[in-house]
Amino acid sequence: MLIYLVPIGLLLVLTVKLVQQGVWHMSKESMPLAAGYLAASVDNDARLGEECQVSIENFPGDVTPIEMAIRVLHEGVPDVVGFSVLGWNVHQFSAVAEAIKQANPQTVIVFGGNHVANQADRVFRHCQAVDVVVNGEGEFTFRDILHAVLDGGDYSGIDDVSYRDGGGHIVTNPARERISDLDEIPSPILTGAVPLLDDAGNFRYDVALLETNRGCPYHCAFCFWGGAVGQKVRAFSRERLHQELEALAQAGAETVVLCDANFGMLPQDMEFVEDLIAVKERYGYPMALETSWAKNKNAMFYKIVRLMRDAGLQSSFTLALQTLDADTLSNMNRRNMKINQWRELAEWLAAEGLDAYDELIWGAPGETPESFLAGYDELAKHVSRIAAYPLLLLPNTDYTERRELYGFVTVRGERDDFEYVLANKDITLEENLRMQRFLFWARLLAENVVLRNVFPVLRAVGSLTQSAAILSLADYVDEQTGPGARLLTQAAERSTADPDSLAPALEHCFTDPEFDHLVLAWWHERVRHTVPDEWHEAVSEVLRFDLDTRPLPFPDKRGFSDAELVDSEALRFWSIEREYSCNVPELVRTAKATGELVTPPARTPTPMRLLFRDGFAELARSTNHEETAHYVARVEPTQQLAYSNS
């Protein structure tokens, strides 16, 4: 029996900060971990391993249903096809499933994933080709489905599935107990179900995906982790995870991304980081760890962060507050850290020299434009990189189940199946559209590290909040007529209806000199007069420093004719020499630490070496800001100078 497992080669801001919007555009594949679990489970079963041939089709995000159907059917019609379904691929997969059914009506189509779990009525109504919906963890359920197919197609004895019986009625079987011992699931990394190397012997994926545990102790109203995955946290063994880390390191995986809901709050998380560092010291890989950090940071988190910092293990640390408004938090079923605690954490991370960002969600019941922007600017005093996303209604969440209570007005996407919030009981459509424009520009400039240091400096010397600075630049760009300005304006206008509009805008900001001209003209024409005269030169240098140090796809396109490739720590960097009229990094550190700048720095020429990690050309359109942040230039002053804020 020929079985196809079809993930789609995309990875979204992952986790709650990721489900929101965005697509990675890369030349490398995304690692098909979920399909790999299924394939490994099938191969590990004595009967299925003998009677079934499993293939994983891993498609890039821009592939069409026609291309997918041709590839799946090219070598013959499979007997069973399993799709890993989320809101952004359900339409494509439904079209492919219908094509497969036309080629062979006997092929069994299985849909699984958070978007279709417990949604059988809607799934079967919208896609007649689907035979079975998996409502929980898929590894053992999918194995049981294959046994049933081999035995004649009776699904009545399989827990955790929905299907149509002989009379066409939808039947949903009882839920299956969650897998208590996760080590019972064969590892797709250790079994080879997911191949790690490409034909040239290089690690074949953009990042290495890994799970250390499953489950979530929270029940946030906007998130399906608590609703669809279950609250009890279960962990893979330390021994298995260590073996997987070694396999990934030997394959040359630079970045490990954990698919955990809350990492950094359990003793086992410390053990994982200790093993990751030991593997890095032995093999030189992995170099970075990205994850959804636990909402509440306990003593374990601080220990882990210090350990990672001392070992040179890169990461982005998240303050997952979502909102600072008390009423909105109550509706979300959340309670954030006390205000002094998150402030202290942000200050501690900054003092440790560690990259941090915060997540906010716009459009939640209880929030208004005024409260959202006030919370945004309060956070920006401590963390300028804020990932602000519009609320989407997802299946198996409290917001979706109680939509009438909150007065949601939504519309489903044209290319995806997410419910986009147009209004709710607390915000009008007009207010929402105005805020959607702000979200686009905030994501473009601040979240994706196009500009970074100028925000705290403008706040310190000109009392200009980060949101006001962002909107000022947006207004200025809207008034310009050049092709780059039109591209950005049109992308912002489309952003509400087209989540992918950010990608070409990012590419423009990272590659086109016209963007530099726009930003500098904005400073001179709109902002310069709001800053005291004695600060004009220093702020200009900070802005030039921001533009110089943003991630670098192509040195020649940015005018860096003197760029040289150098090797460092198993990576390649573009090395560029620049000189500024003051010690910009120290000036920025003072602005962030004190919130005010009293005396402008003396004019002291300060040469610096900028080191840009090579390889950003593949990420210039990526909306994954966590990965992008690793490509901001590393700055090495050629002489040590200090700035005194006296």
Side-chain angles (χ1 to χ4, degrees), residues 107-184:
T107 296
V108 176
I109 303 295
V110 181
F111 271 20
N114 289 305
H115 197 77
V116 296
N118 308 308
Q119 306 294 316
D121 287 350
R122 188 169 189 277
V123 173
F124 288 129
R125 184 170 66 252
H126 286 272
C127 185
Q128 296 294 316
V130 177
D131 295 294
V132 184
V133 174
V134 177
N135 294 314
E137 291 171 299
E139 291 85 3
F140 299 157
T141 302
F142 188 70
R143 183 188 61 190
D144 292 347
I145 291 171
L146 297 184
H147 278 286
V149 172
L150 290 172
D151 293 334
D154 181 5
Y155 309 120
S156 61
I158 304 175
D159 289 340
D160 236 7
V161 300
S162 298
Y163 61 97
R164 282 186 290 246
D165 63 16
H169 303 100
I170 297 175
V171 178
T172 296
N173 292 343
R176 180 189 294 259
E177 289 292 327
R178 300 291 178 183
I179 302 171
S180 57
D181 182 2
L182 295 181
D183 281 2
E184 292 180 1

Side-chain angles (χ1 to χ4, degrees), residues 457 460-462 523 528 531-542 582 587 596-601 643-645:
V457 172
V461 301
W523 153 248
R528 192 168 181 268
V531 173
D533 291 348
E534 63 270 22
W535 279 98
H536 286 176
E537 182 178 10
V539 177
S540 294
E541 288 296 86
V542 173
C582 63
L587 176 66
E596 62 178 357
L597 293 170
V598 180
T599 305
Y643 167 73
S644 175
N645 185 39

Side-chain angles (χ1 to χ4, degrees), residues 64 76 93 120 125 138 178 187 203 273 314 337 373 429 465 478 527 545 561 565 585 596 616:
T64 66
F93 282 175
R125 184 170 66 252
R178 300 291 178 183
S187 169
F203 187 69
V273 171
Q314 295 181 332
M337 294 175 287
L373 291 176
L429 174 61
T465 65
D478 284 352
V527 183
F545 180 82
S561 58
L565 272 176
E596 62 178 357
F616 187 68

Side-chain angles (χ1 to χ4, degrees), residues 22-39:
V23 174
W24 288 32
H25 297 264
M26 298 183 172
S27 61
K28 289 187 176 182
E29 301 175 50
S30 290
M31 189 172 175
L33 183 65
Y37 279 129
L38 301 183

Side-chain angles (χ1 to χ4, degrees), residues 215-246:
C216 179
Y218 306 111
H219 200 280
C220 302
F222 55 84
C223 178
F224 58 55
W225 238 324
V229 177
Q231 294 187 351
K232 184 178 180 181
V233 178
R234 300 147 290 139
F236 290 93
S237 71
R238 182 175 187 176
E239 293 75 19
R240 167 172 166 154
L241 292 171
H242 191 279
Q243 292 176 30
E244 290 180 325
L245 286 173
E246 285 209 331

Side-chain angles (χ1 to χ4, degrees), residues 477 480-490 508 512 514-515 518:
V477 171
Q480 308 311 305
T481 59
R486 290 199 303 272
L487 182 153
L488 295 175
T489 296
Q490 291 168 1
H508 171 77
D512 197 324
E514 184 184 345
F515 177 73
L518 278 171

